[in-house]
Amino acid sequence: NAGVTQTPKFQVLKTGQSMTLQCAQDMNHEYMSWYRQDPGMGLRLIHYSVGAGITDQGEVPNGYNVSRSTTEDFPLRLLSAAPSQTSVYFCASRRSRTVEQFFGPGTRLTVL
Amino acid sequence: GQQVMQIPQYQHVQEGEDFTTYCNSSTTLSNIQWYKQRPGGHPVFLIQLVKSGEVKKQKRLTFQFGEAKKNSSLHITATQTTDVGTYFCAGGTRYSGGGADGLTFGKGTHLIIQP
């Protein structure tokens, strides 16, 4: 199993550009989440999904969209990038009725 | 909203010394999770505590959940260079808006080990 994979690893955008961060897992996990991590901060939840076709907002959803058309994939879309979205983005997944979240390797995003 | 505070922010220890990080919540928690993140890496789940006063051990790591379920600690005995990283706690409540798990993460404690 590859576990949780994220692409790209690094990305530089200009203010106003849009892009999609990819996340995929091959463990058949129902729950998937997107977090952002800023220097000196803990992880903050952006959006999450409890299954295909079901998504909901987390703590910091503004400026981001998600969809979950399959169990495996949970892409995060930045609609119009802003410098405040410069961060490291982690995708995580877990099986329902278990507690252990598995994190992907992260995407380091810089918005100029 | 719920706040989870973690202290200290940084901890320098000599290899072989013990290390403790503390986590305090502004509200009563239903559970608490601990994660480790190596420099440049991703968070790795360590454990979840659920019961008041619960103590769990993983080799040299001891995790405690307070009687009031508002605080927790992680203690590492005889640190090794492989323990280097940032240790995060994440407090869970059902209605915190923190997703399906209702988790709010602390800012973490950076453990720096001097050989």
Side-chain angles (χ1 to χ4, degrees):
Chain A
N1 287 352
V4 180
T5 58
Q6 291 183 240
T7 57
K9 290 186 178 179
F10 301 93
Q11 183 71 50
V12 179
L13 293 177
K14 294 181 179 178
T15 297
Q17 287 185 316
S18 62
M19 80 158 295
T20 300
L21 306 185
Q22 301 292 344
C23 174
Q25 52 90 12
D26 61 359
M27 298 175 284
N28 204 30
H29 287 175
E30 295 87 350
Y31 290 3
M32 296 187 75
S33 302
W34 275 103
Y35 294 89
R36 61 178 289 174
Q37 184 175 40
D38 301 300
M41 301 289 291
L43 296 161
R44 291 186 292 169
L45 184 68
I46 304 170
H47 285 285
Y48 68 99
S49 169
V50 298
I54 306 170
T55 64
D56 206 345
Q57 296 181 352
E59 179 185 357
V60 288
N62 292 343
Y64 308 94
N65 274 356
V66 292
S67 60
R68 184 99 180 267
S69 56
T70 66
T71 299
E72 294 78 17
D73 300 299
F74 191 41
L76 178 72
R77 297 183 189 85
L78 278 69
L79 308 174
S80 177
S84 60
Q85 293 178 306
T86 294
S87 189
V88 180
Y89 292 84
F90 288 103
C91 179
S93 74
R94 72 170 174 86
R95 190 177 299 280
S96 63
R97 299 177 186 164
T98 66
V99 299
E100 181 174 0
Q101 285 196 94
F102 294 84
F103 283 80
T107 294
R108 188 173 297 274
L109 176 68
T110 302
V111 182
L112 303 175
Chain B
Q2 180 187 345
Q3 289 187 332
V4 174
M5 291 152 286
Q6 206 172 337
I7 56 170
Q9 185 176 2
Y10 293 92
Q11 184 73 59
H12 295 252
V13 300
Q14 296 282 339
E15 187 176 7
E17 291 183 337
D18 293 356
F19 159 78
T20 304
T21 173
Y22 301 91
C23 187
N24 294 288
S25 171
S26 57
T27 59
T28 301
L29 301 170
S30 58
N31 61 278
I32 194 152
Q33 297 183 356
W34 285 92
Y35 293 79
K36 176 184 178 180
Q37 185 176 22
R38 294 182 185 274
H42 58 276
V44 175
F45 175 87
L46 294 177
I47 206 163
Q48 174 169 286
L49 305 175
V50 177
K51 299 177 182 177
S52 170
E54 189 171 13
V55 177
K56 287 189 176 180
K57 292 188 176 183
Q58 290 180 350
K59 296 183 180 178
R60 294 178 294 105
L61 278 61
T62 302
F63 305 85
Q64 294 189 349
F65 201 8
E67 294 288 344
K69 300 184 75 173
K70 296 183 73 173
N71 58 75
S72 180
S73 65
L74 159 59
H75 179 82
I76 302 178
T77 303
T79 54
Q80 300 175 358
T81 55
T82 54
D83 296 324
V84 165
T86 303
Y87 293 84
F88 292 96
C89 64
T93 61
R94 185 171 297 178
Y95 305 109
S96 71
D101 301 304
L103 292 175
T104 300
F105 281 79
K107 293 183 179 182
T109 295
H110 301 265
L111 173 59
I112 298 126
I113 298 177
Q114 295 152 341

